[in-house]
Amino acid sequence: MKHKIFYFVLLISLFSFQNINAQKKGFYENVQKKNINKLLDDFNLFAAQADYDKYFACFAEESTFIGTDATEVWNKKEFMAWAKPFFDSKKTWNFTSLKRNIYFSEDGNYAWFDEVLDTQMKICRGSGVLEKIKGQWKVKQYVLSMTIPNDVTNEVIKVKAPIEEVLIQALKAK
């Protein structure tokens, strides 16, 4: 009988421990999602305000920005150089997140996201990878994509095909 009671108590303890861990994980993710949402909202705000220093402080030192044009793949230093004239002239971009999804690595040190954005280009998609560095989330990779409604895909292809065919041939030649 003592053995049965012991195993019963042990079994209850294990289930309780798992439940506590699940609660901790849920709490951790909720707190981290709030931190990430703030980072990404600030990221968009700093661009809209043309605050060069604060905007680029959101990026990790080793990071990549991928723009809407197929040729736009920059490390942080290259992106900073490209963007500087826009920030200096206060002609930056103004993006507002309409819907955002955030996911975490098992160890909690990485997160990735996708979001639908309201922009001057109409709806765009932002996606990326974040890393927790010294207790702060930083953008490791950001990808900006223009969305194309399925109903107009053929028309868009007709417009971009002559431009991108040159790039396709150049990339194939490498």
Side-chain angles (χ1 to χ4, degrees):
M1 182 71 171
K2 288 181 183 178
H3 291 302
K4 286 183 181 180
I5 292 172
F6 172 75
Y7 287 120
F8 179 73
V9 170
L10 181 64
L11 190 60
I12 298 243
S13 298
L14 287 173
F15 283 123
S16 297
F17 182 71
Q18 286 178 334
N19 191 30
I20 289 168
N21 280 343
Q23 288 174 354
K24 282 182 184 176
K25 183 179 180 194
F27 175 77
Y28 172 82
E29 284 188 3
N30 286 336
V31 168
Q32 296 311 311
K33 279 185 181 181
K34 285 180 185 174
N35 294 338
I36 289 170
N37 277 313
K38 178 160 179 26
L39 168 74
L40 295 173
D41 289 343
D42 286 350
F43 180 68
N44 290 331
L45 179 65
F46 298 149
Q49 294 174 340
D51 192 326
Y52 183 85
D53 293 331
K54 287 183 180 176
Y55 178 78
F56 283 101
C58 294
F59 284 92
E61 286 310 307
E62 296 291 325
S63 56
T64 305
F65 182 93
I66 301 171
T68 57
D69 188 287
T71 63
E72 296 176 336
V73 180
W74 299 298
N75 64 36
K76 182 179 179 178
K77 187 181 274 188
E78 293 166 337
F79 183 46
M80 289 175 79
W82 177 87
K84 184 94 170 88
F86 295 98
F87 279 83
D88 287 347
S89 66
K90 306 291 186 208
K91 293 183 179 171
T92 52
W93 43 96
N94 188 359
F95 298 170
T96 303
S97 180
L98 300 171
K99 181 180 186 299
R100 181 180 292 147
N101 300 301
I102 300 170
Y103 310 93
F104 294 93
S105 63
E106 197 168 313
D107 66 5
N109 292 320
Y110 293 90
W112 54 98
F113 68 93
D114 63 87
E115 61 186 344
V116 176
L117 299 165
D118 179 10
T119 80
Q120 63 272 18
M121 298 174 281
K122 297 298 159 204
I123 293 177
C124 285
R125 184 176 315 282
S127 60
V129 176
L130 307 168
E131 182 179 12
K132 198 169 201 181
I133 301 171
K134 297 180 183 172
Q136 287 192 303
W137 289 104
K138 296 288 185 175
V139 175
K140 286 291 283 187
Q141 182 182 66
Y142 186 86
V143 181
L144 179 64
S145 309
M146 290 176 38
T147 62
I148 300 171
N150 290 333
D151 293 345
V152 297
T153 299
N154 289 335
E155 289 83 17
V156 172
I157 292 169
K158 286 177 190 171
V159 171
K160 73 182 212 143
I163 299 164
E164 290 186 350
E165 189 58 40
V166 174
L167 181 57
I168 290 169
Q169 294 310 314
L171 291 170
K172 283 182 177 181
K174 285 186 177 184

